[in-house]
Amino acid sequence: MNHVLEPPDEPGRTLPTTATGAPGHHDPDPPLVDVAAYSAFYRAEVKALVNFLLWMGAGLADATDIAQETMIEAYQSWPSIRHPRAWTRRVASRRYGRRQFGQEVITEPELLSPLLSASADLCAWEQRHDVLRLLAMLPWRQRQVMAWTFDGYQPQEIAVELEITPEAVRASLKLARRALAEHLRRAGEST
């Protein structure tokens, strides 16, 4: 028996079908987004999300692009997101990983910031960028775990978000801290 599909409700959109290809029931309209709650979340978290990506080794341009793409996806999925702060970091982290490892050449992250204001603390700015340079030398998983740690997450929480064991998180933290300490020790000896 040949089933004929009804025309889609919108251009480019097809109706869901059953296993036999027959038109299925149309899902009800998606839940409405609480725009005020989303807007407050966006304003509070977008800069922190960019910083999170910088800790992971993303350049400023990539970090802002990925943060915006992630926030758009968060808006589209807002009614179903239970822990938006962790959700945005998980999605942004995965998106950055795909972008980074999808490229043949992985470049050193851009460490330039937008123009500094006259009241900016230049010493703090330089220290932050020194830390970013150090983190960029770590392997991917170690940078990822350090970024979550810098963002205030505990190993158990990081394990859940990255879908790895807490032991693997602790091991990555230990290796990252050891590598950073060794680099700082060698840098101190050379000065």
Side-chain angles (χ1 to χ4, degrees), residues 41-55 63 67 71 85 88-89 92 128 147 150-151 153:
F41 172 77
Y42 179 92
R43 284 190 302 277
E45 290 295 325
V46 71
K47 287 181 184 176
L49 186 58
V50 170
N51 281 328
F52 173 78
L53 289 159
L54 290 172
W55 290 125
M71 287 299 197
R85 189 169 185 273
T88 54
R89 279 147 182 80
R128 174 182 168 81
F150 288 152
D151 218 35
Y153 287 83

Side-chain angles (χ1 to χ4, degrees), residues 46-102:
V46 71
K47 287 181 184 176
L49 186 58
V50 170
N51 281 328
F52 173 78
L53 289 159
L54 290 172
W55 290 125
M56 290 184 70
L60 184 59
D62 278 343
T64 54
D65 285 350
I66 293 168
Q68 286 293 62
E69 291 166 6
T70 300
M71 287 299 197
I72 290 168
E73 190 175 338
Y75 178 80
Q76 294 166 341
S77 303
W78 190 252
S80 65
I81 298 173
R82 292 178 28 180
H83 304 286
R85 189 169 185 273
W87 186 93
T88 54
R89 279 147 182 80
R90 183 175 55 250
V91 169
S93 175
R94 289 177 182 165
R95 186 169 271 143
Y96 173 60
R98 284 191 304 270
R99 187 176 289 190
Q100 182 181 25
F101 294 113

Side-chain angles (χ1 to χ4, degrees), residues 100-173:
Q100 182 181 25
F101 294 113
Q103 298 174 352
E104 208 165 288
V105 176
I106 299 173
T107 59
E108 183 176 327
E110 294 171 34
L111 298 175
L112 301 174
S113 286
L115 294 175
L116 294 171
S117 68
S119 63
D121 181 353
L122 189 56
C123 185
W125 183 86
E126 287 175 340
Q127 287 174 348
R128 174 182 168 81
H129 286 81
D130 287 343
V131 170
L132 291 175
R133 274 191 211 89
L134 285 173
L135 290 173
M137 296 184 316
L138 296 174
W140 166 249
R141 180 62 82 186
Q142 292 174 21
R143 277 195 327 255
Q144 191 178 37
V145 168
M146 290 298 286
W148 281 92
T149 301
F150 288 152
D151 218 35
Y153 287 83
Q154 298 299 312
Q156 187 69 31
E157 296 168 310
I158 297 168
V160 169
E161 296 303 325
L162 299 181
E163 298 176 346
I164 59 176
T165 66
E167 293 77 22
V169 171
R170 286 186 200 89
S172 289
L173 280 172

